[in-house]
Amino acid sequence: MKGNRPKRIGLVLGGGGILGGAWLVGALHALNEATGWQPSWAEYIVGTSAGSVVAALVAEGIPPWFLVHHQRGGSVDGMTNSEGEPIAHADETTRGLLSWSGELPRPILGSPSLALRTALHPWRYPPTAAMTGWVGRGFLSTDEVRHMVEMVVPSGWSHHPHLWIVTLDYASGKRTVFGQEGSPPAELWQAVTASCAIPGLYRPVRIGGRLYVDGGVWSPSNLDLLGRTDVDIVIAMNPMSSLQPGLPTTIGERVERRLRAAFGRRLGREARRLRDKGVDLLLVQPGPEDLDAMGLNLMDPSRRVETLETAIETTSERLREPDAAQILERLSSR
């Protein structure tokens, strides 16, 4: 495709709350088991929301099996960070993700500036981004996410040359990709916590005098960011969409399936642009079994292990499908 140079691979990890993160860990583990390929070997790693946490960890060389072990509740005592220093109380600092920030909710106009911009020019923004300024400001803390990232990168940015963490500027509504050339300077933990700051739930994160929130409100995957790179193969794992969602049986499921369909259409548009450039694209999305394991509340930690185990099984099946097998053969022969 691009001469005889080594294939360049991009990895895209989408958002999806606590259970989306568990699903991503299971999916990456299945990919690693099938090919021996490590996520840190990707030339580009794009992480959004829950995917930003997983992206930050795997970019530093944390292997999928280790993340699976931790998700299952295994001890990580003795774990060291990227500087080789032991991490004190590693277990305790990575278990709770629903802690109150100490601030009261602000139910009206979380971002008046963004609300005004989207009211005047709604066509410039994805629907979810257009609604963000109108949603009350979040009140939960992202401190536990910060602890997870600081465990492996205590300060500064990732050692990976192209780790991109996607956020949304809370005032302008502009997608901001930290780690990309020309982006504002930030600590890795700042970018990841901002990418995880779900509007209306988690408080925005201040970086360099500006507030940022979850990049998933721009796109649940942000797959299109790799369109201007020289990648040959892209592996995109997107917990928020589904090709085969199954039949909804409740009103809640109907709403959730409609949202997944909308996110899937956006993912499809982004995917077509990449494929039109000649990029080999492998999409991995939750199937009916995954959705049953997740339920409707993606922030429910009690379903974490079930979601993880299901993702390992369903992704393994997905990787045996003909279109996936062809791409994985190129991946394995890299």
Side-chain angles (χ1 to χ4, degrees):
M1 178 172 11
K2 296 174 182 172
N4 294 320
R5 65 165 174 76
K7 306 175 190 70
R8 300 182 68 84
I9 300 168
L11 176 65
V12 178
L13 303 178
I18 292 174
L19 299 184
W23 182 87
L24 287 169
V25 168
L28 284 173
H29 179 66
L31 176 65
N32 176 244
E33 288 288 292
T35 64
W37 184 79
Q38 293 289 346
S40 60
W41 297 349
E43 277 71 21
Y44 295 88
I45 303 177
V46 179
T48 301
S49 197
S52 73
V53 181
V54 180
L57 298 178
V58 300
E60 287 300 306
I62 303 297
W65 68 260
F66 185 94
L67 297 179
V68 168
H69 170 72
H70 184 248
Q71 288 274 348
R72 286 171 173 164
S75 172
V76 294
D77 285 344
M79 179 181 176
T80 58
N81 61 30
S82 60
E83 298 173 358
E85 299 174 348
I87 300 168
H89 311 296
D91 281 345
E92 290 83 352
T93 58
T94 58
R95 297 300 184 190
L97 294 174
L98 295 174
S99 56
W100 182 39
S101 67
E103 300 178 5
L104 294 174
R106 290 173 52 179
I108 301 175
L109 288 186
S111 174
S113 172
L114 179 55
L116 178 61
R117 288 170 183 266
T118 56
L120 294 176
H121 307 287
W123 58 87
R124 295 181 181 177
Y125 304 87
T128 45
M131 293 187 295
T132 295
W134 300 88
V135 177
R137 188 166 294 191
F139 59 96
L140 294 180
S141 171
T142 53
D143 286 348
E144 298 301 337
V145 173
R146 173 178 179 172
H147 292 155
M148 278 191 281
V149 177
E150 285 185 321
M151 282 196 309
V152 293
V153 182
S155 62
W157 195 255
S158 171
H159 296 86
H160 193 282
H162 298 112
L163 172 63
W164 294 351
I165 304 298
V166 187
T167 69
L168 187 86
D169 187 304
Y170 202 34
S172 69
K174 177 183 177 182
R175 178 171 64 177
T176 303
V177 185
F178 288 97
Q180 196 176 51
E181 185 176 355
S183 66
E187 299 283 303
L188 181 58
W189 68 261
Q190 289 179 312
V192 173
T193 54
S195 188
C196 291
I198 303 170
L201 188 60
Y202 288 93
R203 65 186 181 189
V205 175
R206 187 174 297 278
I207 304 175
R210 300 188 70 84
L211 292 176
Y212 296 89
V213 293
D214 190 342
V217 300
W218 184 271
S219 164
S221 68
N222 291 287
L223 177 61
D224 62 305
L225 288 173
L226 293 183
R228 297 181 181 180
T229 67
D230 57 353
V231 291
D232 304 298
I233 300 171
V234 172
I235 301 163
M237 297 180 168
N238 197 51
M240 291 296 293
S241 58
S242 181
L243 280 178
Q244 298 174 323
L247 294 175
T249 58
T250 66
I251 294 176
E253 286 182 352
R254 289 174 186 170
V255 173
E256 186 244 8
R257 299 302 194 266
R258 287 182 179 274
L259 286 174
R260 285 189 177 275
F263 294 148
R265 286 192 293 272
R266 182 173 182 89
L267 178 67
R269 290 193 295 270
E270 294 173 351
R272 282 193 295 274
R273 295 190 190 106
L274 273 183
R275 286 175 170 142
D276 287 346
K277 289 188 59 180
V279 175
D280 285 335
L281 175 61
L282 172 59
L283 289 178
V284 183
Q285 305 171 73
E289 297 91 343
D290 298 292
L291 301 188
D292 287 343
M294 291 179 179
L296 298 181
N297 180 10
L298 293 178
M299 301 303 292
D300 181 1
S302 69
R303 290 176 172 262
R304 189 195 323 243
V305 175
E306 182 183 359
T307 297
L308 168 77
E309 304 294 355
T310 304
I312 293 174
E313 294 180 6
T314 58
T315 302
S316 297
E317 294 173 1
R318 168 74 180 100
L319 298 180
R320 289 193 287 270
E321 295 178 7
D323 68 312
Q326 292 179 4
I327 293 176
L328 295 187
E329 184 178 356
R330 298 190 66 202
L331 191 69
S332 301
S333 62
R334 180 174 181 262

